[in-house]
Amino acid sequence: MTPKGHSPVDLDPAAPATTRRGLIGALGAAGLAGAAALSIARPASAAPTSPTEGDKELLRQAMQLELTAEALYREAIDAGLSDEAGELAAVFAENHVSYAAEIAGGAGFSANTRNEEIFEQLQSAFATSDTEAFAEAAVSLENTAVATHSELMAEYESSSARKMTASIIVVEARMATVLTDLGGLATSLDDIFEPTADALELTAGASS
Amino acid sequence: MNDRTTGGDASRYGRRDALKLGGLTISAAALVAACGTDRTGDDTPGRVGYAPPITDPPDYSVDDAVLLRTASSLELTAIAVYEAILDTGALDDDLTTLVERLIENHQAIADEMGQLTESVGGVAWECTNEWYMDRTITPILEAVAGSDDPLRDILNTAVALENIAAATHQTLTIDLEDADASAATMAAATLESRHSAAIVAAARGPEGYVSPAITGGDIADRSRRPSVRVLDHQSLRVHRSERTRGRRSERGRRPPVVHPADTRTELLRLQRTRTHLLTPTSGTGRPGGA
C-alpha cells in the first residue's frame, strides 16, 4: 500500500480485510518490522532527555495516529452516535487530540496533520450510530494504537519520548477495556487482557 | 538550687527549657556557619531533645536487579491481597472469576520479573513486599473487615492496587537499563491498566467509565460502588497545564480531558528513601530467607 503525500507511513495489509475487526487487524498485521531487532539495550541513564531527530520522525507518525483517532471518533459523533457511546466518543476524541498535542509539543512541531490513509480506511467503520458496531471499530483502533506505541517504545532514544508514550499507552489500554465492555464484545477474559491487535507499521520510508 | 539547674539529668528540664536550649543550639549553629570557616570537627546538624539515633539507609546502588525484585514483590503483594479478598466470600461468581484471573496474571508477571532479575544477575524475589504490607495493605484489609460496605471497599482497594502497580511499572520501564526488562514492565503496566478498568467496568458498568469531573458533572456522590472510575482525570493527570487543553465547546469553554498517567506513585516517591526497596541480591523473599 502506498502512502499518500510525503507520509513515511506504510500500511501493508497481510490479508484482505473483510470485517471491521479484520480491517484493523490487516492494517497492523505487518507490525513494526524489525522493531524488536532494533531494540537497543541503551542505558537509561545515558539516554538523551529531549527527542532526537530519529525520535521526532517516529513521534510525528504517532501524533498523526492520535489525530486520526480523534477524527474517527468525531465521525461516529457526526453519524449520530448517542447516549453513553456518544459521550464516550466525545471524551475519547478529546483524549486523542490531547495526546497529539502532547507529542507535538514535546517534539517541537505542530499537531496539525492526521494519517489520511488510516482515516480513509476506517472512516466507514466509524460512521455509525450503532453502539456495538462503533465499539467493535473503536476497541480495535485503541488496541492497535496500544500495540503501535508499545513497539515504538523500543525505538525511541530519548527519555521524554519514552515517558510520553508510556503515559499514553496505559490510558489507551483503559479506553480499549471500556469499549469492550460498552459493546459487550468480550466472549472471555482473554478478549480483555490479551487482545490480538498488531502494531501498525510506521517505519517504512522514515527518514533519519 | 532547684532541679532545673542541677544539670546532668536532662529529664529534669521542662519543655520551655528545651525550647530555650533548642533556640540556643540553632543560634550557635548559625553563628558557627557564619564565622567558623576555620573550625573543624563534626559538621552534622545539631539535634534537640530525645530521638532515636538516625539510621543510615542501606548503602547499595539501585540497579535493575533492585527494581525488578521490587516489581516482583509488588506483584506478589497484589496476589496476597486478592487471595484475602477471595477469602472474604463477598464477591459474586463473576467477580470471583475476574479476581482469579487477576491472580493468574499477577503471578505470570511476578514469574517474568523473577526471570528477568536472574538474567541481570540478581536473585529473584519470591514473597510480598514486607514494607508495603505492614504500612499499607494490612491496615487497609483491617479497615475493610470492619467496613459498613466491604464490597465497595474491596473493589476500591483492588482498583487502587492495580493503579499503583501499573504506574509503578510505567515508571520502571523508563528507569530500567535492560531493554527486555523495560519492555516487560511496559507490558505489565498495560495489562494492569486493563485490570483496573475491568474491575470498575464489571462492578459499575457504564456509570464507571468516565468520571463526571471530566465532563463537567457532579462528583459529589460517593455512595456508589466503587467510587473510582476507569478514567479519572484527577488520578491520571500529569501536568497542570494540560488540564484545560482540548477544543473549546460552543460555549467557549475548554473541557478538562483525561491525561496520561505519568505520575510517580507513592511507592516510587519512596524509592528515594529506599524504605520499600529490596537489596540487590540478598534473600529470596521466603520467610526466614537470608
Side-chain angles (χ1 to χ4, degrees):
Chain A
M1 192 171 296
T2 304
K4 294 183 176 181
H6 188 59
S7 170
V9 178
D10 269 348
L11 301 173
D12 294 318
T18 54
T19 66
R20 283 185 290 271
R21 185 186 295 269
L23 180 58
I24 296 214
L27 281 173
L32 269 170
L38 292 173
S39 175
I40 303 168
R42 68 180 65 84
S45 55
T49 301
S50 300
T52 64
E53 289 305 309
D55 286 351
K56 290 178 182 178
E57 289 296 326
L58 295 172
L59 287 168
R60 185 178 296 278
Q61 309 312 313
M63 177 274 291
Q64 291 178 347
L65 176 61
E66 293 300 325
L67 286 186
T68 304
E70 183 230 357
L72 290 168
Y73 280 111
R74 298 208 182 281
E75 281 290 312
I77 296 169
D78 291 345
L81 195 68
S82 59
D83 300 327
E84 292 152 355
E87 291 173 7
L88 272 186
V91 171
F92 288 6
E94 291 292 344
N95 286 354
H96 284 292
V97 76
S98 175
Y99 302 155
E102 179 74 10
I103 292 169
F109 49 71
S110 298
N112 55 8
T113 54
R114 68 189 184 202
N115 186 310
E116 290 295 338
E117 185 165 13
I118 298 175
F119 178 78
E120 288 175 8
Q121 291 196 44
L122 301 182
Q123 183 178 17
S124 61
F126 274 82
T128 178
S129 59
D130 180 76
T131 295
E132 186 175 343
F134 159 75
E136 188 175 359
V139 74
S140 192
L141 173 68
E142 296 296 346
N143 280 327
T144 299
V146 167
T148 303
H149 285 305
S150 297
E151 292 279 6
L152 290 173
M153 282 283 290
E155 298 199 50
Y156 291 130
E157 296 176 292
S158 65
S159 58
S160 63
R162 290 167 53 76
K163 284 180 183 177
M164 194 160 45
T165 303
S167 68
I168 292 171
I169 290 170
V170 294
V171 180
E172 291 183 342
R174 292 168 188 262
M175 290 156 68
T177 306
V178 164
L179 289 161
T180 302
D181 189 74
L182 174 74
L185 304 177
T187 56
S188 74
L189 291 175
D190 286 348
D191 292 333
I192 298 172
F193 299 133
E194 298 178 15
T196 55
D198 294 311
L200 292 169
E201 184 173 8
L202 298 177
T203 53
S207 58
S208 57
Chain B
M1 187 176 293
N2 61 34
D3 287 343
R4 290 188 298 169
T5 59
T6 53
D9 187 352
S11 66
R12 295 173 182 170
Y13 289 88
R15 285 194 297 272
R16 186 182 300 274
D17 299 294
L19 288 171
K20 289 178 180 175
L21 289 172
L24 177 62
T25 303
I26 293 169
S27 299
L31 186 64
V32 168
C35 309
T37 54
D38 58 345
R39 291 175 182 270
T40 60
D42 189 0
D43 59 357
T44 56
R47 305 190 75 205
V48 177
Y50 292 110
I54 296 173
T55 303
D56 290 330
D59 184 18
Y60 57 85
S61 61
V62 179
D63 58 14
D64 280 5
V66 171
L67 298 178
L68 289 165
R69 280 157 62 84
T70 303
S72 293
S73 75
L74 295 182
E75 295 302 318
L76 295 168
T77 297
I79 292 171
V81 172
Y82 282 129
E83 288 177 341
I85 287 173
L86 287 178
D87 288 344
T88 66
L91 305 183
D92 61 22
D93 288 346
D94 287 344
L95 286 173
T96 297
T97 300
L98 175 60
V99 168
E100 287 172 345
R101 175 58 181 266
L102 299 181
I103 290 173
E104 182 183 323
N105 287 352
H106 282 291
Q107 185 63 60
I109 295 171
D111 291 344
E112 186 175 20
M113 294 299 142
Q115 292 165 5
L116 287 164
T117 302
E118 292 175 352
S119 75
V120 299
V123 176
W125 186 260
E126 299 172 354
C127 198
T128 60
N129 188 303
E130 187 176 354
W131 186 94
Y132 199 50
M133 288 293 290
D134 289 347
R135 288 162 181 77
T136 304
I137 301 301
T138 299
I140 286 175
L141 292 178
E142 288 174 352
V144 169
S147 170
D148 60 345
D149 191 345
L151 182 58
R152 175 200 61 201
D153 294 343
I154 284 171
L155 294 170
N156 283 339
T157 300
V159 171
L161 195 64
E162 295 293 351
N163 287 344
I164 288 172
T168 301
H169 281 293
Q170 181 187 335
T171 303
L172 291 180
T173 198
I174 307 300
D175 293 342
L176 285 163
E177 308 268 341
D178 183 82
D180 290 340
S182 177
T185 49
M186 190 64 246
T190 306
L191 178 57
E192 286 160 350
S193 295
R194 296 184 196 274
H195 285 179
S196 173
I199 295 167
V200 179
R204 298 199 67 185
E207 286 189 351
Y209 290 164
V210 176
S211 170
I214 296 172
T215 54
D218 183 12
I219 59 172
D221 180 11
R222 294 193 175 276
S223 62
R224 312 292 290 271
R225 74 165 67 108
S227 58
V228 291
R229 269 85 171 186
V230 174
L231 301 173
D232 181 346
H233 78 283
Q234 290 182 319
S235 65
L236 298 176
R237 190 175 65 242
V238 183
H239 306 297
R240 282 177 298 155
S241 60
E242 292 181 352
R243 189 172 186 180
T244 56
R245 280 189 182 170
R247 292 180 175 169
R248 290 184 186 278
S249 67
E250 292 178 353
R251 289 178 293 180
R253 299 194 321 188
R254 291 186 187 278
V257 296
V258 180
H259 293 288
D262 189 33
T263 183
R264 288 186 173 250
T265 67
E266 174 192 22
L267 284 173
L268 268 295
R269 285 200 303 272
L270 291 169
Q271 180 175 319
R272 298 191 187 96
T273 66
R274 299 182 178 179
T275 49
H276 75 292
L277 286 178
L278 305 170
T279 55
T281 56
S282 61
T284 63
R286 295 190 182 95

